[in-house]
Amino acid sequence: MDIHRCRFVPYPPAAINALAFSHPSSANAAGKGPSTLRLAIGRANGDIEIWNPLKGAWFQETILRGGKDRSIEGLVWTQDPDERREDGFIVPGRLRLFSIGYSTSVTEWDLELGRPVRHSGGNYGEVWCLAAQPPFRAISDSAMGQQSSNARDEEPQPQHLAVGCADGAVVLLSTADGDLKFQRALTKPSAKKARVLSITFKNRNIVVAGCADSTIRVLNVRGGQLLRSLTLGAGPAGGPREILVWTVKCLSNGDIVSGDSTGEVKFWDGMNYSLVQRIQGHRADILDVATSADDQTVISGGADRRSTIYRRISNGNEKGQGRWSQMTHRRYHSHDVKAMATFETKNMSIVASGGLDTTPIIIPLREFGNEEHRTLSSLPQNPVLQSSPSQRLILSWWNRELNIWRLNNPPMPYASDEKATPELSHRPTVLVASILIKGEESITSASLSADGRLLAVSTISEVKMFRLRRARSKADESLKVKKVELPISLSACGAKFVQFSPDSRWLLTVTPESRIALARVVTDTTSKGVEVRSKLVKLRRVDRGSSNSKPGLHGSHGRYDLSVSRAAFSSDSRVLVVGDLSGYLDSWVLEGHEDLTQDDSNEENSVDGISSSSSSDSGDEQDDSGDEEKRPQVVLGQHWIRNPNASLLPKLPSAPSVLSFRPSTPGLSAPKTNGNTAVHPTRHNPRPHSHDLPSGEDRLFALTCEHHFYEFNVLKGKLSAWSKRNPTSIFPSDFRGLRDQGMGCIWDITEHQERIWLYGSNWLWVFELSKDLPPPEMSKPVESKVTDDRSTKGTKKRKRHLNDEGDRRKHTSGAGSRVADDKLMGLGRKMRKITGPESGNQQWISLDAPQESSSDEDEDGLALSRLRRNIESSGAKVNGINDQSDKNEGLLLNGVHEDSKLGTAESPPWWHTFKYRPILGIVPLGVGGSEATEEGEDRLNGEAFGGLEVALVERPMWDVDLPPRYHGDQEWVK
């Protein structure tokens, strides 16, 4: 494979301004958080990323797109009160997400629709900070010397919002009854107009606000009285007189922690509001502070790029007493650290941080020093790249802008021909088109047709299509862009996902309500015009949210888990599959054959729109599902129906990160039919249509966000024979242990090989699917070091040390892998025990609790794999064929032929590399296989070569334009 390593495609990631977890920390909660736990990341371009921790897997589920001149400066989550049904079942309250950003309003977001649902209104100034009231069930007013409010109130109360404004006012907003409205002003604008820079709740009745006039104000929510003003004094000599209190947080015992512009962390007593201790932890402004659930750890981040850890040193008294001490500091970020958020349970303890370097960092909190930190990708996990291989075009988009590049063929080297001279004016890459979308919304998705003639773009409110044509002059390589008129039912509904079919005849749109619609695109070859039929084909998904479903199935996110996240067409464009965040797959097939002479403009079942009703109207979808089969929407002699075996497709264990159909083998194509043959009109059926099902390649590859590998025969509704013989448990441990999620795949199918190239933001793997993976007997056994011989008596499960790379990735607190023993600083994890006077009678004892091997599922998968392969205990043949006798050709990477012998006896049928990072996306440029292109065979060193040609786009951080950063004493840029 020929890889073009590209860095000319721009994608400017935005700074991280806000972070928020959907649930509060609970040190007594078991596991690694509820299934509805999410992390919201707010960026400076107005985007909000929703991440699912997945017990340490960290999957980017969706991005709520912003718009022009928008920014996210603060994020908070609230949860509505739980509801008790008639049968006694308690339905968890709905989670709600709020944001602020350089305006006078607070915005609430709908996760299902991916757009704002309401804005607050009131007569107050520009909002600078935001805080949510603590949950009602976790409130105790013992710090005020009063009885708990839960004992006095019968009905649970919602979580209100406290807002700090630029004019010094503090406003309380009500979230009751699913609304967002102004309730009261706790303080009026001050005479000094001191901005409220930070705000938090001490409990449900007390608000603490940090201001720009060297003051921390404590307010009573019930009456709006000012309880106390905490003065920080004057600023340092030679600096500003006023101290800016950038952040305030409250511990569970009521103590206040503040960080200000002097670089000091100050601890205040929660009873008498006196200053207890101050620590100079930073050389520049402290921008945010986060606290642990047990009140024993505080971490701060500042403009000097430091992340500083503070621990409470117990003095032998109660747990909540003792002095604070600065333990250490590290520089995880390369620029200002602007936001931090913590989440803790019994098995999970992490800090999420972000700043101007655009990269989210996950830091272990309870296991700080024993575990590595983890860096999440700043690039979207759903690639923002498309290509047209036949025209060698690459499409990229961000915010409201699209760029189309042409990657020209390299000039042929001259050797023997004297007349052949190098093309001095040859440009390898040319920007052929640049489009700026009108309006304020950012682009949610874009798609380029395979022939490079059509471009579809969608925002959350509209869909647009453009026609691309080359200029008549050969010297002009630019593309002429012309808008294509779309039906109002398609253009006005908006979409979060658009995609052309491989034959460019169908345009798939997924609306914000996750409704599936297809538009037929007709190209007139004579006039070279493009027409989009006004009748849209609505595809009904299987209803999975009826009243007969299990109570609490959707948790506290509503139907957000059923949002469509991935879609794929088969290579013949006759099979369509979509997958949602819960792992369900819906599939449809295209019946009949194209008949351009058929007039379907007067069909009774035409669709006027697809966004008139909400996605929660599951009853309507269920009622109309039968009508879809009885009255199919016929378009030019073809109609889409639900896959007859769709119900047999299993639910994936987690959300799919990659969905792709295996392309057809070159040279094997189905015969083309001119219209619907053997179909004649009758009196009862004046417009007949064929019911022929597709017979092409229907094998669908699916990679989940937990790196589970599946291949389905969609038309049969079952796993393929290859996937049955090769379950995920026998895949390489290095692949199953990858930290970063898969982003996409590239197929390299020829008559002699069937390879799939998978890639993530930091890795690239290739698997040879024409051969089975090595049987379990041929794999090297994993050596398990037993901690103590006596611990294995009476049990068959083995206890393992966490020494090797595979084990160090497991049983972590949600961040990175455990630090290796040889790199661990301070007290190690093992101790040597010597019994008796002889030094030879010794053994190593692990100080960590032994972790049980989680190999039961893997052993079941291996046993099932052996059964399906029909392998005898003494042989190593796969289906009667000696796997060692087959050999494959090497790989062609960057024009260099590597004799890797992929899939032979000397090496396993896979290969991987980590040399490309960070990867924005990989798109094909040439037709797969060894066939020559129309322009002639590509040549390298005078010899013809074929195969797949791709463009691998990287966006390293050193290419990103960042503002100047702070440099302290004796600090230089390397």
Side-chain angles (χ1 to χ4, degrees):
M1 184 173 75
D2 191 11
I3 297 180
H4 297 271
R5 198 170 183 178
C6 307
R7 291 181 180 174
F8 60 86
V9 179
Y11 182 83
I16 297 176
N17 292 337
L19 295 166
F21 281 99
S22 59
H23 293 72
S25 299
S26 179
N28 299 325
K32 292 188 176 182
S35 60
T36 54
L37 177 65
R38 298 295 186 271
L39 171 64
I41 300 179
R43 295 189 177 269
N45 61 350
D47 292 349
I48 300 178
E49 301 175 3
I50 305 298
W51 289 76
N52 188 347
L54 275 179
K55 302 179 180 180
W58 292 101
F59 174 60
Q60 186 187 83
E61 292 183 338
T62 186
I63 299 179
L64 311 179
R65 296 295 180 181
K68 180 182 179 182
D69 299 331
R70 299 178 189 174
S71 178
I72 302 298
E73 298 297 323
L75 288 171
V76 294
W77 294 81
T78 64
Q79 184 173 356
D80 291 340
D82 299 340
E83 298 180 1
R84 184 180 294 275
R85 299 190 340 186
E86 297 179 356
D87 56 359
F89 182 82
I90 298 178
V91 180
R94 186 182 183 87
L95 288 170
R96 303 168 66 182
L97 177 62
F98 301 88
S99 70
I100 59 173
Y102 295 139
S103 65
T104 59
S105 63
V106 178
T107 302
E108 181 181 358
W109 294 82
D110 191 325
L111 267 65
E112 300 178 24
L113 303 181
R115 57 190 175 194
V117 62
R118 61 178 56 90
H119 303 274
S120 67
N123 188 17
Y124 46 85
E126 182 180 352
V127 178
W128 273 65
C129 53
L130 177 69
Q133 201 173 23
F136 178 78
R137 58 179 177 273
I139 295 305
S140 177
D141 296 338
S142 58
M144 299 181 59
Q146 300 177 4
Q147 186 182 5
S148 173
S149 59
N150 289 0
R152 299 191 303 268
D153 300 334
E154 296 181 358
E155 295 294 332
Q157 300 296 324
Q159 294 180 255
H160 297 317
L161 303 179
V163 171
C165 303
D167 56 3
V170 177
V171 177
L172 192 66
L173 302 179
S174 173
T175 62
D177 301 328
D179 200 357
L180 178 63
K181 56 185 177 181
F182 173 82
Q183 186 171 2
R184 74 168 69 96
L186 300 182
T187 61
K188 297 181 179 180
S190 61
K192 295 183 179 181
K193 299 293 182 179
R195 300 186 304 272
V196 181
L197 302 178
S198 56
I199 194 169
T200 188
F201 277 87
K202 179 181 176 182
N203 52 48
R204 287 184 63 89
N205 300 320
I206 296 179
V207 172
V208 180
C211 303
D213 59 349
S214 307
T215 305
I216 299 176
R217 293 177 171 84
V218 183
L219 306 171
N220 189 351
V221 173
R222 293 177 176 176
Q225 302 91 355
L226 177 63
L227 299 180
R228 192 69 58 90
S229 293
L230 312 180
T231 304
L232 279 68
R241 181 179 179 181
E242 302 292 345
I243 297 177
L244 307 179
V245 185
W246 289 114
T247 176
V248 289
K249 290 293 190 302
C250 290
L251 304 179
S252 59
N253 62 357
D255 291 347
I256 302 173
V257 183
S258 66
D260 51 51
S261 58
T262 63
E264 289 186 347
V265 174
K266 296 180 175 64
F267 299 89
W268 308 80
D269 187 270
M271 296 294 294
N272 53 26
Y273 301 106
S274 61
L275 180 63
V276 176
Q277 190 178 353
R278 64 173 66 188
I279 300 177
Q280 185 75 38
H282 294 261
R283 299 181 180 180
D285 296 36
I286 296 177
L287 302 180
D288 204 359
V289 167
T291 63
S292 63
D294 58 0
D295 295 344
Q296 300 301 305
T297 305
V298 171
I299 181 171
S300 62
D304 57 354
R305 298 172 284 156
R306 287 185 177 183
S307 297
T308 307
I309 300 290
Y310 312 87
R311 293 279 172 84
R312 191 195 295 268
I313 306 301
S314 177
N315 55 7
N317 298 330
E318 297 181 0
K319 184 177 180 180
Q321 303 297 327
R323 301 282 295 178
W324 290 90
S325 175
Q326 177 181 341
M327 304 302 296
T328 184
H329 72 269
R330 295 185 182 180
R331 285 178 177 157
Y332 299 104
H333 294 270
S334 60
H335 219 290
D336 299 6
V337 183
K338 296 190 64 177
M340 285 185 167
T342 60
F343 181 79
E344 287 188 273
T345 60
K346 286 185 178 180
N347 299 328
M348 191 174 188
S349 178
I350 56 174
V351 178
S353 64
L356 293 183
D357 60 357
T358 74
T359 303
I361 304 291
I362 307 299
I363 306 171
L365 185 58
R366 190 183 305 130
E367 296 294 329
F368 184 84
N370 295 326
E371 294 180 2
E372 303 282 0
H373 71 281
R374 180 173 177 184
T375 302
L376 303 181
S377 177
S378 61
L379 304 177
Q381 292 191 356
N382 197 2
V384 289
L385 286 177
Q386 290 276 333
S387 71
S388 173
S390 61
Q391 301 296 324
R392 302 182 65 85
L393 298 178
I394 299 177
L395 168 69
S396 66
W397 66 90
W398 71 93
N399 295 344
R400 299 184 300 122
E401 186 175 351
L402 300 99
N403 283 341
I404 302 178
W405 304 77
R406 174 174 283 111
L407 192 62
N408 293 320
N409 290 316
M412 298 177 59
Y414 60 97
S416 59
D417 191 359
E418 298 179 355
K419 297 182 180 180
T421 57
E423 299 180 15
L424 299 179
S425 62
H426 178 272
R427 291 184 296 173
T429 60
V430 181
L431 179 63
V432 295
S434 182
I435 305 173
L436 182 64
I437 301 300
K438 293 183 180 180
E440 296 186 353
E441 289 82 7
S442 296
I443 298 172
T444 57
S445 179
S447 181
L448 187 65
S449 62
D451 55 9
R453 298 180 180 178
L454 296 176
L455 170 64
V457 185
S458 67
T459 65
I460 205 66
S461 60
E462 61 180 344
V463 178
K464 297 182 179 181
M465 183 182 294
F466 301 93
R467 180 186 172 191
L468 307 176
R469 292 186 302 172
R470 297 196 64 171
R472 295 181 180 180
S473 175
K474 295 183 179 180
D476 188 4
E477 299 187 35
S478 63
L479 293 177
K480 305 299 181 181
V481 181
K482 183 179 180 180
K483 186 177 180 180
V484 178
E485 294 296 330
L486 297 178
I488 189 65
S489 58
L490 175 62
S491 61
C493 65
K496 61 181 179 181
F497 183 80
V498 292
Q499 181 177 343
F500 280 106
S501 61
D503 59 5
S504 305
R505 297 179 179 178
W506 297 94
L507 176 63
L508 167 67
T509 60
V510 180
T511 66
E513 298 85 3
S514 290
R515 295 178 179 270
I516 313 299
L518 288 167
R520 183 64 165 87
V521 181
V522 181
T523 303
D524 189 354
T525 57
T526 58
S527 62
K528 297 183 180 180
V530 178
E531 178 191 1
V532 179
R533 306 304 292 260
S534 60
K535 185 175 67 173
L536 302 182
V537 180
K538 294 174 57 178
L539 302 182
R540 304 285 185 178
R541 300 175 60 197
V542 177
D543 178 42
R544 301 181 177 95
S546 61
S547 59
N548 296 327
S549 60
K550 183 179 178 181
L553 177 65
H554 304 296
S556 52
H557 280 296
R559 296 176 61 88
Y560 166 73
D561 291 340
L562 298 179
S563 301
V564 174
S565 60
R566 298 293 187 272
F569 277 101
S570 61
S571 58
D572 60 356
S573 304
R574 299 195 62 183
V575 183
L576 172 64
V577 174
V578 299
D580 57 26
L581 295 177
S582 60
Y584 288 106
L585 298 177
D586 292 278
S587 58
W588 299 270
V589 295
L590 182 62
E591 283 188 340
H593 305 282
E594 183 182 20
D595 186 3
L596 297 177
T597 61
Q598 182 173 353
D599 183 14
D600 52 5
S601 59
N602 297 324
E603 289 286 342
E604 298 178 357
N605 55 348
S606 60
V607 181
D608 296 332
I610 57 177
S611 61
S612 57
S613 58
S614 173
S615 61
S616 60
D617 299 335
S618 58
D620 297 339
E621 294 187 6
Q622 186 177 8
D623 296 338
D624 297 340
S625 60
D627 298 339
E628 178 185 350
E629 303 295 337
K630 298 179 181 178
R631 298 181 301 167
Q633 302 174 14
V634 181
V635 180
L636 299 180
Q638 295 179 306
H639 55 281
W640 289 88
I641 65 169
R642 182 173 292 134
N643 179 18
N645 294 320
S647 59
L648 300 179
L649 289 175
K651 177 180 177 293
L652 299 177
S654 56
S657 59
V658 179
L659 283 180
S660 178
F661 277 92
R662 184 188 293 223
S664 303
T665 305
L668 298 179
S669 60
K672 297 182 180 180
T673 304
N674 184 15
N676 295 300
T677 59
V679 177
H680 305 284
T682 62
R683 181 178 61 182
H684 300 286
N685 188 13
R687 296 183 181 90
H689 52 270
S690 174
H691 295 275
D692 293 342
L693 293 176
S695 59
E697 182 64 74
D698 69 328
R699 283 178 290 180
L700 173 71
F701 159 73
L703 178 67
T704 69
C705 57
E706 295 179 344
H707 292 290
H708 291 275
F709 197 110
Y710 300 98
E711 189 180 50
F712 300 100
N713 286 112
V714 176
L715 297 181
K716 298 179 180 179
K718 63 180 182 179
L719 286 172
S720 66
W722 187 93
S723 188
K724 291 179 180 179
R725 299 192 307 268
N726 299 271
T728 304
S729 57
I730 70 171
F731 272 69
S733 59
D734 292 340
F735 174 77
R736 290 183 286 126
L738 288 172
R739 290 290 187 183
D740 297 314
Q741 300 296 329
M743 297 172 56
C745 69
I746 300 293
W747 291 93
D748 189 4
I749 303 295
T750 65
E751 297 179 358
H752 307 286
Q753 64 185 23
E754 297 179 3
R755 294 175 180 173
I756 180 172
W757 294 76
L758 298 170
Y759 67 92
S761 60
N762 293 317
W763 52 266
L764 179 65
W765 276 75
V766 57
F767 290 96
E768 178 60 63
L769 302 185
S770 62
K771 296 178 175 59
D772 289 333
L773 299 178
E777 292 82 2
M778 298 175 61
S779 302
K780 294 182 180 180
V782 179
E783 296 181 359
S784 301
K785 297 183 179 180
V786 183
T787 59
D788 193 350
D789 294 339
R790 293 170 294 179
S791 64
T792 60
K793 294 180 180 180
T795 179
K796 295 182 179 180
K797 293 185 177 180
R798 295 173 295 182
K799 312 285 184 175
R800 298 185 178 185
H801 281 303
L802 301 177
N803 291 334
D804 60 337
E805 180 65 23
D807 288 338
R808 288 193 292 111
R809 294 171 179 170
K810 303 177 182 178
H811 312 293
T812 63
S813 62
S817 304
R818 294 176 67 91
V819 179
D821 291 343
D822 57 347
K823 298 181 180 180
L824 191 64
M825 300 180 63
L827 184 65
R829 298 193 183 98
K830 294 186 296 183
M831 134 180 114
R832 186 171 61 177
K833 178 180 180 181
I834 302 176
T835 305
E838 299 180 0
S839 60
N841 190 9
Q842 60 182 349
Q843 76 181 104
W844 286 94
I845 299 178
S846 175
L847 299 180
D848 292 335
Q851 302 288 352
E852 294 187 356
S853 173
S854 58
S855 60
D856 294 343
E857 182 179 354
D858 294 346
E859 291 178 357
D860 295 341
L862 295 178
L864 187 59
S865 175
R866 297 189 192 102
L867 179 62
R868 286 169 174 166
R869 294 183 183 208
N870 193 19
I871 300 178
E872 299 181 357
S873 59
S874 59
K877 294 184 178 181
V878 180
N879 295 332
I881 300 176
N882 194 341
D883 187 52
Q884 299 182 4
S885 61
D886 295 331
K887 297 180 180 292
N888 277 358
E889 299 177 357
L891 304 178
L892 187 64
L893 299 177
N894 294 328
V896 180
H897 187 275
E898 297 187 0
D899 188 14
S900 61
K901 298 181 181 180
L902 187 66
T904 63
E906 291 79 4
S907 64
W910 64 74
W911 178 86
H912 69 279
T913 181
F914 298 97
K915 66 182 296 185
Y916 308 106
R917 59 177 60 190
I919 299 176
L920 180 64
I922 303 179
V923 292
L925 288 178
V927 180
S930 58
E931 298 178 358
T933 59
E934 296 179 357
E935 292 80 2
E937 296 181 348
D938 294 331
R939 294 182 178 274
L940 179 66
N941 297 328
E943 296 180 359
F945 71 91
L948 186 64
E949 185 180 3
V950 300
L952 188 150
V953 181
E954 295 176 293
R955 288 302 300 159
M957 286 304 302
W958 58 76
D959 286 348
V960 179
D961 294 332
L962 296 177
R965 67 184 183 184
Y966 171 84
H967 295 286
D969 298 336
Q970 299 183 353
E971 295 181 359
W972 302 278
V973 180
K974 296 182 178 179

